Amino acid sequence: MKEIYLIVILIVVLAFVAIGFMYYVMNKTKSENEKVKAEFEELNKIYGQTKENFQNHMAQAAVMQKEIENLEEKIKEYENLKTDYEE
């Protein structure tokens, strides 16, 4: 009879140890999940800023290209006027 009580007590102790280990793993996983989520949000913020900066840069490049085309057109007009004047 004593052995049965010892086995039952051992099973109960092992159950509590298993429950404690599962609780520890769940808390550690939750903590890691929160860290990863925070890092992801930070990276997403950096991505948004980088995307906005790139779009601004591309818009500025398009404006500069248009200004270059306008200047080239004015240079051609000036050269045409110059040749007309020289004739």
Side-chain angles (χ1 to χ4, degrees):
M1 204 61 176
K2 229 179 185 182
E3 290 108 8
I4 293 174
Y5 287 128
L6 289 175
I7 291 173
V8 169
I9 291 172
L10 181 62
I11 290 172
V12 170
V13 168
L14 287 175
F16 277 115
V17 169
I19 290 170
F21 179 72
M22 287 173 45
Y23 180 76
Y24 167 77
V25 169
M26 286 175 53
N27 280 342
K28 187 172 183 177
T29 303
K30 184 178 178 183
S31 174
E32 289 294 322
N33 186 25
E34 290 172 356
K35 286 180 186 176
V36 169
K37 185 177 179 182
E39 289 176 2
F40 177 76
E41 288 173 355
E42 182 67 25
L43 288 174
N44 199 19
K45 182 180 175 183
I46 292 170
Y47 169 74
Q49 290 173 346
T50 304
K51 183 179 177 183
E52 183 179 334
N53 290 344
F54 178 73
Q55 288 173 342
N56 290 339
H57 173 72
M58 292 305 290
Q60 289 174 349
V63 167
M64 290 176 70
Q65 182 62 35
K66 187 66 176 172
E67 288 178 3
I68 289 171
E69 290 172 2
N70 288 340
L71 287 173
E72 287 175 348
E73 187 176 320
K74 287 181 181 180
I75 289 171
K76 287 180 184 177
E77 288 177 8
Y78 171 76
E79 288 175 351
N80 289 340
L81 287 173
K82 184 178 175 184
T83 55
D84 288 346
Y85 177 75
E86 288 176 352
E87 291 177 357

